[in-house]
Amino acid sequence: MRSLKEQLRSFQCPDCRKLCTSSRGLKQHQRTAHPVLSSDDSENDEEVRQHTTLLHPLLNGVPVDKDGHPLPAHTKPPSWNLLDSENAYSPFEDRLSFDFAQYHFVEVQSSAGKINKALDLWLAAKVQAIQGTDCDDLPWASADELYATIDEIQQGVAPFRTVHLKYSGPLPEGEVPPEWMTATYELCVRDARQVIHHQLGTPAFATQFRTAPYKQFDRDGNRVWSDLLSGDWAWREADKIASEVPGSKGAMLVPVVAGLDKTTVSVATGHQEYHPFYLSKGNLTNVARRGHEDGVVPSAFLPIPKVSKTEKKKKIYQQFARQLYHACIALIYEPLRAGMSSPEIVRCPDGHFRRAVYSIGPVIADYPEQVWLSGIVQGWCPKCRARPDNLDDPNAPRRTHEQTDTLIDTYDPGILWDEYGIREDIVPFTHSFPRADIHELMAPDLLHQVIKGTFKDHLVEWVMLYLRNLHGEAKAAEIIADIDRRISSVPPFPGLRRFEDGRDFAQWTGDDSKALMKVYLSAIVGYVPPGMVQCLAAFLEVCYIFRRNAITSNALKLAETQLAKFHELRKIFVETGTRSHCSLPRQHALLHFIPSIIDFGAPNGLCSSITESRHISAVKETWRRSSRYNALSQMLVTIVRLDKMSALERILAKNGFLEGSTAMGMARSFLLGDASISEVELDDENDVDEECEDTADIGPEDTPRMATSVKLSATTISRYPRRLHDISDYLREPQFTTAFLEYLFTSRHPNREIPPDFVDTTRFSSKIYVHHSATARFYAPSDICGAGGMQRQIIRCNPNYRGHQRFDTVFVSMGDASIGIKGMMVAQLQLLFSFTDPYNQETHSCALVNWFNTVGNEVHPLTGMWVVEREEVDDERPLQVINLSTIVRGAHFLPVFGEDEGRLPEGFQYTDALEAFERYFVNPYIDHHAHEMLSI
């Protein structure tokens, strides 16, 4: 049994609070998951440093004092003490009490019964420790008392309140009114002003926060759109505020972004629906809104009237349901109304006070929700008046409140419905707020309009329908089965979803559609007409440009060209009889993406995938923690408590009160007095070496934006020999010795040519250490990036990874990776190793690679992807040792199947894919970062 001194040793990561079994294990975890980057790594990319930013001249977010008077430039923010000076853990007694609540209520989501059991065990441990003498009471006697303490936390978002609403129209005469006319509906809502103040006052957003609308230009003078405040809408809104709101000069525009989307919680007896409404301040960067849970806050739950199918079809009910919907949304925004016409002082994440003017910002919603929000008829466009039978009419005028009001005053309801797609009985909530027009504020929806809509629901299904129409059900089934095998046979890659049965599965998610996008194009080559492949390729190009975090004017021009190409090529589905027309609302929405990007910045910061992801923590998990009866009220309490715990945890961590493990923290306070950690730690020599194999192959990197870096794993593999010739024999690879010595000679003599006898003259006797993985870190804003936009990717070179060999492929810079594949080569790893050269005591991190050469100087004419083939000389694969610093990141290959390859055998293994084919496509769709590199 370990002594108390050993048990008190702190092996908890201060960044993610992971517990390790030894101090060496903790160090290895920190090197892998939270690396301390060099000064070179911490510099922003050269491209970003050369951007030019033009701030709005009037609404520029000047810091002020608490009375609203402007401060001199470079004034430091006032002190900001968010903790109790007498007890930092208040309302908890101490570190132990807080960590107990954090663990049971937040991390493992213990039920009240389990918390009571844990409290009983805690009390029993105290009784045992003092051997029956009087013992102090625990902080709580029950789970209810723990909940009460959480409720006392002052930090966090506002509580929910309930607003009751009822139908107030005329009742039918002489008959019993339907139940919905007499029912009371509950809107559960937070004070939107307090929600926004909380977000504005969250220090975690200090580096991911914009105080003024801006226009950004790259080093070539091209406009760059990224965050919401980089778009033209924010600039125009600031112009309006400057001219309409007295005293607004120097204030800060705060757009209030909303997101709403129904979600269903499945239960054994049926389905329960909830309609959460989320708020986010538009000053956040897109990356922060995607990567930080507090960037999007659940602020209300809209009532969902329950009626029969017959009642749903009645116009009077439809009118009431929509009016209730808009009335609820207006009530949510009501606390912000005064701040829309007069600046108010708020505290910002950087600690400064500023004068803020609110505006209703973009609304994140899918198409059914957009129909309700805009008061239009199903099938029409919420942003323009294109007719349902000709949605791609380039001359369709844009919708505005003013035009809609004029049309309602001019025409009767039937003409409005049939000719203009307008419901005259609905007044959108934006009518009653300053400067707000719902048709303008409808955000583009990448998830439902592009990824799940156009790609999955349309193009993928149309390809399958084409095959069935052409070949009949039996033969089409064989072809589709082979397409599925092709999809499931692609080589592995970090984070790539494995489609074991191809694309044919019942329950689709947005992530499934995104994953299928990465591998689908090459799988259909040879089975569908060339024009159909080109159509898919053009769409994917458009999609991946729209999904970028920063979109330049040149990229928008390319997207416009590819979008026109897609619209022209999709006619093939009509020509082959697969479709009668392609006039569909979700495909029509693609035409509005480019103007929306110019107005609102990159769409990935306003995508419904953000709200759908938030459903998990705000709805699904809180519902599971409820009793399932009248669950909403219990869910609201849980949401507020989680917010409070999260807010207090962040502040405590920022101020250093959560360093080390709980036991170590308590020992510091009570057992050891002023003793340092070193007094209770043992020597590292007694620790067992361990490899952090639990690190996911891909994940967010919670650091600010850094330069690209690739570093070997902290762990070396002990079973390999340590000497050069012994390793060569162990690998059965005689080329390794020559390749290593060639690299060594070049590194020692960079300005000399390699002489013919260099193998005989170059001496090396030091140890070589083999690694099985390396970690690439690069800027790639996406669903899996951290709040700084950084992503971590594990590159593997392992002869026995989970029962199979895994030798990943990589991009290698040949001097200038900024010019895309023309400045890079692709290679397959054969060995990762490190050594210290006794010649100059320099440590080297290296890779032994085999090269792939591009086929031709142009991309494949159908797919638009580069094609490569393995380099071979006299039936032998030449090997070369390169420095790890030349590796940019991992690459992904898709086999070139083609008609000549024939159908894949039933038992084909994806682990053999990099050896089974002559040629491969370099996959630009594996992620946003790869697409940008390969599109240059």
Side-chain angles (χ1 to χ4, degrees):
M1 179 179 291
R2 292 192 302 162
S3 67
L4 175 62
K5 201 172 187 181
E6 291 178 288
Q7 294 179 55
L8 288 177
R9 298 174 63 197
S10 175
F11 305 128
Q12 186 174 45
C13 175
D15 297 299
C16 66
R17 307 189 73 190
K18 172 184 170 68
L19 284 172
C20 301
T21 58
S22 66
S23 60
R24 180 169 295 174
L26 173 60
K27 291 175 183 176
Q28 290 179 346
H29 164 74
Q30 289 177 310
R31 283 196 295 265
T32 302
H34 315 288
V36 178
L37 301 175
S38 67
S39 58
D40 291 337
D41 293 330
S42 62
E43 295 176 359
N44 286 342
D45 292 346
E46 182 67 23
E47 179 184 354
V48 176
R49 293 200 300 272
Q50 294 186 9
H51 279 182
T52 300
T53 301
L54 176 66
L55 298 179
H56 194 277
L58 299 177
L59 262 72
N60 48 11
V62 174
V64 298
D65 61 23
K66 62 181 181 179
D67 297 318
H69 302 122
L71 297 174
H74 309 299
T75 301
K76 292 183 177 181
S79 59
W80 196 1
N81 185 16
L82 299 174
L83 296 174
D84 189 316
S85 58
E86 296 184 2
N87 175 20
Y89 303 98
S90 179
F92 298 92
E93 288 185 2
D94 49 29
R95 167 74 182 273
L96 175 59
S97 301
F98 173 80
D99 280 358
F100 182 92
Q102 174 75 9
Y103 177 73
H104 282 283
F105 187 76
V106 180
E107 295 180 24
V108 298
Q109 303 180 11
S110 299
S111 65
K114 290 181 179 179
I115 291 176
N116 289 332
K117 180 67 174 178
L119 288 170
D120 184 62
L121 293 173
W122 185 1
L123 181 61
K126 294 189 70 171
V127 171
Q128 182 185 50
I130 60 173
Q131 297 179 349
T133 61
D134 292 339
C135 62
D136 297 333
D137 292 335
L138 295 183
W140 314 284
S142 67
D144 289 339
E145 291 186 8
L146 184 149
Y147 297 153
T149 301
I150 295 175
D151 292 338
E152 292 176 18
I153 297 175
Q154 299 302 305
Q155 297 84 354
V157 191
F160 284 90
R161 62 187 179 91
T162 302
V163 178
H164 296 92
L165 303 100
K166 292 185 67 174
Y167 170 78
S168 60
L171 299 177
E173 296 182 4
E175 60 182 88
V176 178
E179 186 177 348
W180 63 264
M181 285 188 175
T182 57
T184 298
Y185 301 96
E186 294 184 347
L187 167 67
C188 300
V189 62
R190 283 168 154 168
D191 187 304
R193 182 172 173 272
Q194 292 185 39
V195 170
I196 297 301
H197 274 232
H198 168 75
Q199 283 193 323
L200 288 169
T202 301
F205 294 131
T207 60
Q208 298 289 323
F209 177 76
R210 307 287 189 183
T211 59
Y214 65 98
K215 295 180 180 179
Q216 194 171 60
F217 304 86
D218 64 18
R219 57 187 177 186
D220 297 321
N222 298 308
R223 179 82 179 269
V224 180
W225 289 272
S226 53
D227 309 317
L228 175 59
L229 291 192
S230 72
D232 287 2
W233 173 83
W235 196 278
R236 292 196 306 268
E237 191 73 4
D239 287 342
K240 293 177 185 177
I241 292 171
S243 63
E244 298 174 5
V245 178
S248 60
K249 183 178 180 180
M252 175 179 66
L253 168 63
V254 180
V256 181
V257 177
L260 62 168
D261 180 28
K262 281 185 181 178
T263 186
T264 301
V265 180
S266 298
V267 293
T269 56
H271 298 282
Q272 293 186 23
E273 278 190 318
Y274 295 96
H275 202 163
F277 188 101
Y278 301 95
L279 289 178
S280 173
K281 63 176 183 288
N283 307 77
L284 283 181
T285 65
N286 287 348
V287 174
R289 190 174 294 109
R290 296 193 69 89
H292 199 296
E293 191 169 88
D294 287 340
V296 177
V297 177
S299 301
F301 282 79
L302 305 183
I304 304 176
K306 302 292 185 182
V307 296
S308 66
K309 291 182 179 179
T310 303
E311 285 293 319
K312 274 187 178 181
K313 295 178 181 179
K314 294 181 179 179
K315 183 177 179 181
I316 188 172
Y317 168 76
Q318 292 179 359
Q319 180 180 356
F320 164 72
R322 284 167 170 78
Q323 288 178 346
L324 174 67
Y325 177 83
H326 283 275
C328 288
I329 297 175
L331 284 171
I332 294 169
Y333 280 110
E334 188 61 33
L336 297 169
R337 183 184 294 277
M340 294 178 181
S341 303
S342 177
E344 70 174 32
I345 298 173
V346 299
R347 193 152 202 170
C348 297
D350 60 2
H352 277 297
F353 291 100
R354 289 181 176 85
R355 294 158 54 246
V357 179
Y358 305 119
S359 286
I360 294 181
V363 181
I364 304 170
D366 60 11
Y367 179 72
E369 203 87 47
Q370 290 181 358
V371 169
W372 278 59
L373 285 164
S374 56
I376 64 166
V377 178
Q378 183 79 22
W380 288 73
C381 174
K383 296 186 76 71
C384 74
R385 296 212 307 265
R387 297 184 61 82
D389 57 356
N390 186 23
L391 282 171
D392 295 328
D393 178 6
N395 300 315
R398 297 294 292 268
R399 294 185 186 272
T400 65
H401 279 338
E402 292 78 8
Q403 291 175 357
T404 300
D405 291 343
T406 301
L407 290 170
I408 290 175
D409 292 339
T410 305
Y411 299 103
D412 63 44
I415 293 176
L416 291 171
W417 184 287
D418 294 333
E419 299 297 325
Y420 299 99
I422 296 173
R423 298 184 64 109
E424 51 80 29
D425 56 350
I426 303 300
V427 178
F429 74 94
T430 47
H431 258 74
S432 62
F433 289 93
R435 306 178 303 276
D437 187 327
I438 190 60
H439 304 296
E440 178 187 31
L441 295 175
M442 211 72 72
D445 184 7
L446 277 171
L447 179 63
H448 291 97
Q449 292 170 342
V450 179
I451 297 166
K452 291 178 69 175
T454 303
F455 176 68
K456 177 257 177 182
D457 291 341
H458 296 165
L459 297 178
V460 173
E461 292 304 317
W462 293 357
V463 167
M464 301 301 111
L465 183 59
Y466 162 79
L467 293 172
R468 293 188 183 100
N469 290 344
L470 179 65
H471 300 287
E473 287 293 336
K475 186 174 181 182
E478 294 178 5
I479 294 173
I480 292 171
D482 190 54
I483 290 175
D484 286 342
R485 281 194 293 274
R486 290 181 174 188
I487 291 171
S488 65
S489 70
V490 300
F493 190 81
L496 178 63
R497 187 199 190 287
R498 172 66 37 205
F499 290 92
E500 295 182 2
D501 299 317
R503 39 136 293 281
D504 191 17
F505 48 91
Q507 187 64 38
W508 282 80
T509 67
D511 288 339
D512 292 330
S513 298
K514 292 174 187 176
L516 186 62
M517 272 186 176
K518 300 176 182 182
V519 299
Y520 186 68
L521 189 60
S522 66
I524 62 173
V525 175
Y527 282 129
V528 299
M532 213 170 276
V533 178
Q534 291 174 317
C535 176
L536 266 292
F539 168 76
L540 289 175
E541 285 299 308
V542 172
C543 175
Y544 271 76
I545 292 173
F546 288 167
R547 290 173 65 186
R548 292 181 185 179
N549 192 60
I551 304 174
T552 65
S553 54
N554 286 340
L556 273 189
K557 292 176 184 176
L558 177 59
E560 188 173 21
T561 301
Q562 293 292 337
L563 186 57
K565 184 178 178 181
F566 166 68
H567 280 126
E568 181 64 28
L569 289 168
R570 70 177 177 172
K571 293 178 182 177
I572 193 171
F573 291 104
V574 177
E575 294 167 355
T576 58
T578 307
R579 290 283 305 174
S580 60
H581 68 86
C582 297
S583 184
L584 300 165
R586 285 180 289 183
Q587 287 198 32
H588 165 72
L590 295 175
L591 295 175
H592 294 299
F593 263 74
I594 292 176
S596 294
I597 289 169
I598 294 173
D599 274 352
F600 301 134
N604 74 348
L606 298 171
C607 179
S608 59
S609 62
I610 301 174
T611 54
E612 289 210 351
S613 175
R614 199 67 173 89
H615 286 340
I616 297 173
S617 57
V619 181
K620 299 183 186 299
E621 288 183 355
T622 57
W623 178 83
R624 294 188 193 107
R625 296 174 69 162
S626 73
S627 67
R628 319 292 169 89
Y629 177 73
N630 289 333
L632 182 57
S633 59
Q634 302 167 55
M635 292 161 60
L636 300 180
V637 172
T638 301
I639 290 171
V640 173
R641 287 171 176 166
L642 288 170
D643 286 343
K644 287 175 172 286
M645 288 295 295
S646 175
L648 180 56
E649 194 270 343
R650 284 197 310 272
I651 297 169
L652 288 170
K654 180 178 176 61
N655 288 274
F657 288 101
L658 298 181
E659 292 181 356
S661 66
T662 306
M664 190 65 244
M666 294 298 293
R668 278 176 168 170
S669 302
F670 300 111
L671 299 180
L672 303 178
D674 296 328
S676 64
I677 298 178
S678 60
E679 293 180 50
V680 297
E681 285 194 334
L682 300 179
D683 294 335
D684 283 352
E685 296 301 322
N686 295 325
D687 295 333
V688 179
D689 195 11
E690 58 183 50
E691 183 176 5
C692 296
E693 281 294 338
D694 59 338
T695 302
D697 272 7
I698 195 167
E701 185 70 5
D702 293 323
T703 62
R705 180 170 179 174
M706 307 290 181
T708 298
S709 67
V710 180
K711 296 185 178 179
L712 292 173
S713 62
T715 303
T716 61
I717 310 303
S718 59
R719 66 173 176 268
Y720 288 86
R722 297 287 193 236
R723 303 300 176 184
L724 174 60
H725 293 287
D726 294 337
I727 293 177
S728 186
D729 292 340
Y730 182 86
L731 297 175
R732 298 179 182 176
E733 187 51 75
Q735 288 190 65
F736 176 61
T737 299
T738 304
F740 178 90
L741 294 177
E742 181 176 340
Y743 168 84
L744 189 65
F745 183 92
T746 303
S747 68
R748 291 175 175 178
H749 313 289
N751 298 320
R752 289 176 54 185
E753 292 187 5
I754 299 177
D757 61 345
F758 78 96
V759 173
D760 299 324
T761 59
T762 306
R763 297 286 180 264
F764 183 82
S765 58
S766 296
K767 293 182 178 180
I768 298 174
Y769 299 91
V770 175
H771 305 249
H772 275 172
S773 66
T775 303
R777 294 177 174 88
F778 47 88
Y779 181 70
S782 63
D783 296 346
I784 52 174
C785 69
M790 296 296 291
Q791 188 178 117
R792 179 190 69 252
Q793 180 186 93
I794 304 297
I795 302 170
R796 299 199 180 274
C797 181
N798 191 333
N800 188 18
Y801 178 71
R802 297 180 178 176
H804 302 280
Q805 64 178 17
R806 173 84 178 267
F807 296 108
D808 287 350
T809 49
V810 294
F811 290 108
V812 181
S813 173
M814 304 309 292
D816 189 2
S818 66
I819 61 174
I821 198 166
K822 294 181 179 179
M824 295 184 295
M825 291 186 68
V826 286
Q828 185 178 24
L829 299 176
Q830 303 297 321
L831 189 70
L832 291 171
F833 61 94
S834 61
F835 68 92
T836 299
D837 186 0
Y839 180 80
N840 52 18
Q841 297 305 309
E842 183 179 351
T843 299
H844 295 255
S845 296
C846 297
L848 178 69
V849 300
N850 170 229
W851 298 104
F852 284 78
N853 298 321
T854 57
V855 178
N857 297 318
E858 300 293 337
V859 295
H860 188 264
L862 298 185
T863 64
M865 295 187 281
W866 289 94
V867 178
V868 296
E869 58 186 2
R870 195 183 293 274
E871 182 181 56
E872 291 188 357
V873 178
D874 297 329
D875 296 327
E876 187 175 54
R877 299 174 179 179
L879 300 180
Q880 184 176 354
V881 171
I882 62 173
N883 194 283
L884 206 66
S885 63
T886 62
I887 295 178
V888 178
R889 46 154 296 158
H892 187 241
F893 290 174
L894 297 171
V896 177
F897 300 101
E899 296 178 352
D900 295 337
E901 295 290 344
R903 294 181 184 172
L904 290 179
E906 289 282 352
F908 185 85
Q909 294 294 316
Y910 71 91
T911 51
D912 299 328
L914 287 176
E915 298 291 336
F917 301 91
E918 293 183 3
R919 292 183 174 181
Y920 299 87
F921 294 114
V922 182
N923 189 357
Y925 305 119
I926 195 65
D927 57 37
H928 309 317
H929 187 257
H931 182 260
E932 289 199 50
M933 288 198 311
L934 295 171
S935 297
I936 297 173

